[in-house]
Amino acid sequence: MIKDYTLTVTNQIEVADTIYELTLAGAITKDPIAAGQFVNVKIPNPAYILRRPFGIAEVNVAQGYIKLIYRVVGDGTQILAQLSKGATLNVLGPLGHGFPSEFLNQNADVLIIGGGTGLPPLYELSRRLYHEGHHLDIALGFPNKQRIFYEAKMSQFGHTMVSTDDGSYGLQGTIIDLIDQNFTDKSYQAIYACGPRGLELAVSAHFKGHPHAYISAEARMACGIGICNACVLHTTADTSGATNKKVCTDGPVFHINEVVL
Amino acid sequence: MTTLGVQLPGLDLKNPIMPASGCCGFGEELGNLYDLNQLGAIMIKAATSKPRFGNPTPRVAETPQGMLNAIGLQNPGVATIVAEKIPKLHAKFKDLPIIANVAGSAQADYVAVCDQISRAPGVSAIELNISCPNVAHGGMEFGVDPTAAFELTKACVNVSAVPIYVKLSPNVTDIREIAKAVAMAQPAGFTLINTLVGMRFDLTTRQAILANQTGGLSGPAVLPVALRLIHQVRSVCDLPIIGMGGVTCAEDVLEMIIAGADAVAIGTANLTDPFACPEIITALPAVMAKYHISSIESLIHERKGKLVK
């Protein structure tokens, strides 16, 4: 059930250059949250009227918190980065549909592909898939060494390799280079990717025709609940017509064949 | 007379609050969050004769105390709206008056859509959108030309089975001239304001943020502009006005009624807080008591007695 929760900041740390991990405690964990769902966060300053959508990076039901990870890119995220323990935030959620995984066989081979701040929802997905007994291979791409986060945490769940655009850590190259050089010997039952549009286009092309390859799309959004039509995408079945999908309510997770990124 | 009720042509409103067109879809999403029967009415998303995808993305940009949008009248077309969207909303919320927003690119489109949608069960009134700033043809073209606005309104009033409220554009030299011309066509009333045309640029790319280049400014930033334009239209015309533009709280609602509105639509506030409308309705009685306002109708009556023209 979507609600406008008031959540309390219980921790905030800078996990990499300009990238923050925010822990928020409150009632949001009392209802089910799927891996890949997101929240729309109100900036605690009335000058900013658009909420900021963030994929949920971790759900801890027992301790009653969620984690969000974001990069400071403007005034709104700068305000969030200054919040300290005890501050409260209005958080609308959980929103959208998560990554489908009900079709997976027991102990399935799964490939996780994360680029930069697209990684957060894949952390929660990987955590769940690992505990369900699936075998994960994990490819992570970052712009440079300073912006790498969660490499060790992701490594808990499977064989993890990293590429950077500038070669300052791991393989120098794109995430597709990383996949081509390290993750070609298995036939994965599912592929889950989240990252910048370029990464998602490359993943869509690379795994074209795969029955279970999914991306979590990013879009400039306003309401997050399907009423404003800001975040629409054309469908591949109707690339220029009036048929459309809303990232907020039909997504953010789509099969790679479903929408035109 | 109840404390919050308002009677307007075609609209028996249990309170003066309604979500504005484009900020509540066809009621489906908000209807999953709260009981829409609480609302005075609902102004559903614009209908055009054919389905429209709308503009390319990005379609929204933030501005200080506001936002720009250039959605571009995305909608599934009047046939689908009449066959699916309106019946679904009406079946779930029987007590909710529906105001259908009609848009188009040519007069014949507007007339055909008004004819069809005004006969849909549950539709109590039409909001004639002659002021959308985000489409290449039609929309605002009609709303900035007194003659075109008059003729379009007259043609739609002639075919509609329900009262028509004409949505006026703020993007004009003198809104009173448009209002006076439209009033000659005898619509039931006006709704105003639509959004103000604006732009924002990205410092990194040096490009306009919106794919459409320009978009409509809404949100708290436009409240004083809306108040002034409502006051101007009220000064030349006695027709009912549904006011809108930057309203976020019960105080803003009362201010709009003092300026000249008879009911108030809530737009962008729904995007910030989907529960904005029921929160404002709940807050109204206490705020009215604070300012010694016994009822919305009494405030309207008081204004009629002393509005400075």
Side-chain angles (χ1 to χ4, degrees), chain B residues 117-175:
Chain B
I117 212 164
S118 69
R119 287 167 175 80
V123 171
S124 300
I126 282 176
E127 179 179 48
L128 195 65
N129 185 355
I130 60 167
S131 46
C132 177
N134 297 325
V135 289
H137 299 289
M140 203 169 80
E141 282 176 12
F142 292 101
V144 298
D145 175 349
T147 308
F150 163 77
E151 286 183 357
L152 179 64
T153 305
K154 191 158 176 267
C156 292
V157 167
N158 284 342
V159 298
S160 177
V162 295
I164 285 188
Y165 292 76
V166 181
K167 188 167 195 172
L168 299 180
S169 172
N171 303 300
V172 292
T173 311
D174 188 347
I175 199 168

Side-chain angles (χ1 to χ4, degrees), chain B residues 253-274:
Chain B
V253 170
L254 299 175
E255 195 175 349
M256 223 165 226
I257 292 170
I258 291 166
D262 301 285
V264 175
I266 313 296
T268 302
N270 292 290
L271 309 185
T272 310
D273 174 6

Side-chain angles (χ1 to χ4, degrees), chain B residues 169-249:
Chain B
S169 172
N171 303 300
V172 292
T173 311
D174 188 347
I175 199 168
R176 292 168 296 193
E177 295 308 311
I178 306 286
K180 282 193 281 189
V182 170
M184 302 273 285
Q186 299 184 302
F190 295 110
T191 73
L192 65 150
I193 58 174
N194 208 319
T195 54
L196 293 142
V197 181
M199 293 185 87
R200 292 222 73 179
F201 294 86
D202 185 302
L203 294 179
T204 307
T205 64
R206 274 80 146 171
Q207 302 289 319
I209 292 175
L210 298 175
N212 189 54
Q213 306 290 302
T214 62
L217 177 66
S218 65
V222 310
L223 176 69
V225 178
L227 290 167
R228 184 255 185 172
L229 291 171
I230 289 165
H231 190 259
Q232 275 195 310
V233 172
R234 178 53 71 220
S235 73
V236 296
C237 187
D238 292 329
L239 289 175
I241 294 173
I242 300 172
M244 62 194 69
V247 174
T248 60
C249 60

Side-chain angles (χ1 to χ4, degrees), chain A residues 47 49 51-52 229 244, chain B residues 29 59-60 62 65 74 272:
Chain A
I49 66 159
R51 291 183 183 233
R52 304 302 196 261
N229 291 293
N244 65 88
Chain B
E29 297 83 5
R59 293 176 169 187
V60 291
E62 198 168 43
Q65 291 271 358
Q74 174 171 348
T272 310

Side-chain angles (χ1 to χ4, degrees), chain A residues 11-90:
Chain A
N11 197 25
Q12 171 142 254
I13 52 172
E14 190 172 4
V15 292
D17 184 29
T18 69
I19 295 170
Y20 290 79
E21 179 201 85
L22 182 62
T23 306
L24 297 168
I28 192 167
T29 60
K30 288 183 179 166
D31 283 327
I33 299 173
Q37 285 193 293
F38 69 100
V39 290
N40 218 4
V41 177
K42 191 162 189 329
I43 302 300
N45 178 323
Y48 302 88
I49 66 159
L50 294 183
R51 291 183 183 233
R52 304 302 196 261
F54 299 114
I56 299 169
E58 186 180 337
V59 182
N60 190 316
V61 178
Q63 295 181 49
Y65 68 76
I66 60 169
K67 284 185 181 178
L68 307 178
I69 298 168
Y70 61 92
R71 188 160 75 89
V72 172
V73 292
D75 295 344
T77 41
Q78 184 63 53
I79 290 169
L80 288 183
Q82 285 158 5
L83 293 177
S84 50
K85 209 170 164 176
T88 58
L89 278 177
N90 289 339

Side-chain angles (χ1 to χ4, degrees), chain A residues 8 74 127 170 185 233 258 261:
Chain A
T8 305
R127 191 181 70 77
D185 55 337
L233 295 173
E258 196 176 353
L261 290 169

